[in-house]
Amino acid sequence: MTTTFITGANRSLGYETARRLIEAGHTVLVGARDPERGQAAADALGARFVQIDVTDDASVAAAAADIEAHEGLVDVLVNNAGIHGTHNPADQITAADAGAVFEVNVVGIVRVTHAFLPLLRRSANPVIVNVSSGMGSFAATHDAARVESRIVTPLYTSSKAAVTMLTTQYAKAWPDVKVNAADPGYTATDFNGHSGPQTVTEGTDAIVELATIGPDGPTGTFRDRQGAMAW
């Protein structure tokens, strides 16, 4: 049985990823910051809830210890938790705004991955999926034919560019672990007021694909549901 831990799994893409991986036979651990929402999501899915705040060292350490005590290892880590941050225009963005976004979207991945790497290395096929975005792709945001080129959101986009680079660097550093990044695409979620044209199921296609790779699967890649993404 494959044991999978997903951060930010109480709603939207995280919840749908959990649902689909349970359907695929994984034992899914639902990670969420809010205990009530997290437990409610886990109950609805038939999964186990593990409280985690990716911005807090003690919370992340406690989550890893909880899983070590109960499951003993993690086969797949899905770093899904993320925030958009301020919607203020660029000339009103502050250092505090930037710190808040990067603390969740980038530093949070480093914090969780560092804490969970010993659990992953107990697996015969350790896999990490970082949820990035086409909004962090230089190619997509400079392609006039793509929606990413028409949206200006400096902090979110730059944080997701960092997530993709972090992914490729981890993949180079750890040949024993498969580390990939997924772009959900423009999906109807709470994140964008449900304005995206894709369903949450379509938005989780790349995440689920990368979370279910075998020992011969790719590493250091950035994919959406159609295939390889340009950076």
Side-chain angles (χ1 to χ4, degrees):
M1 188 70 77
T2 301
T3 298
T4 299
F5 180 63
I6 307 171
T7 65
N10 61 296
R11 64 192 181 106
S12 298
L13 293 170
Y15 183 93
E16 179 65 5
T17 299
R19 185 194 69 78
R20 292 183 66 183
L21 290 177
I22 290 169
E23 191 175 73
H26 288 215
T27 295
V28 172
L29 307 173
V30 170
R33 181 178 58 180
D34 184 285
E36 289 187 9
R37 293 177 181 176
Q39 189 62 62
D43 290 345
L45 289 164
R48 190 168 82 81
F49 168 61
V50 178
Q51 196 276 335
I52 188 168
D53 179 347
V54 302
T55 68
D56 182 82
D57 287 340
S59 175
V60 172
D66 178 298
I67 294 169
E68 181 176 25
H70 288 86
E71 285 77 24
L73 57 73
V74 170
D75 297 292
V76 181
L77 170 64
V78 180
N79 284 310
N80 168 73
I83 63 171
H84 182 279
T86 181
H87 290 275
N88 286 342
D91 58 358
Q92 295 178 25
I93 291 173
T94 66
D97 294 330
V101 172
F102 275 76
E103 182 65 25
V104 176
N105 294 2
V106 184
V107 180
I109 288 178
V110 174
R111 181 177 286 113
V112 173
T113 302
H114 174 76
F116 278 74
L117 192 58
L119 295 174
L120 283 158
R121 284 190 160 137
R122 295 179 184 177
S123 170
N125 181 37
V127 171
I128 299 172
V129 182
N130 295 326
V131 179
S132 188
S133 172
M135 291 295 295
S137 161
F138 287 83
T141 55
H142 288 81
D143 182 348
R146 294 187 63 113
V147 66
E148 292 92 341
S149 70
R150 300 190 291 275
I151 301 171
V152 178
T153 177
L155 299 182
Y156 180 75
T157 54
S158 58
S159 74
K160 289 302 186 179
V163 169
T164 304
M165 180 58 77
L166 185 65
T167 300
T168 64
Q169 292 295 303
Y170 276 161
K172 289 180 180 180
W174 305 327
D176 58 323
V177 182
K178 301 290 190 301
V179 191
N180 294 286
D183 168 29
Y186 192 13
T187 303
T189 66
D190 297 342
F191 220 58
N192 53 41
H194 296 269
S195 61
Q198 290 187 163
T199 66
V200 287
T201 301
E202 292 170 326
T204 56
D205 280 349
I207 304 170
V208 171
E209 178 187 356
L210 290 171
T212 54
I213 59 175
D216 296 328
T219 191
T221 67
F222 179 34
R223 301 178 65 83
D224 68 4
R225 63 193 301 261
Q226 273 81 43
M229 277 284 292
W231 299 355

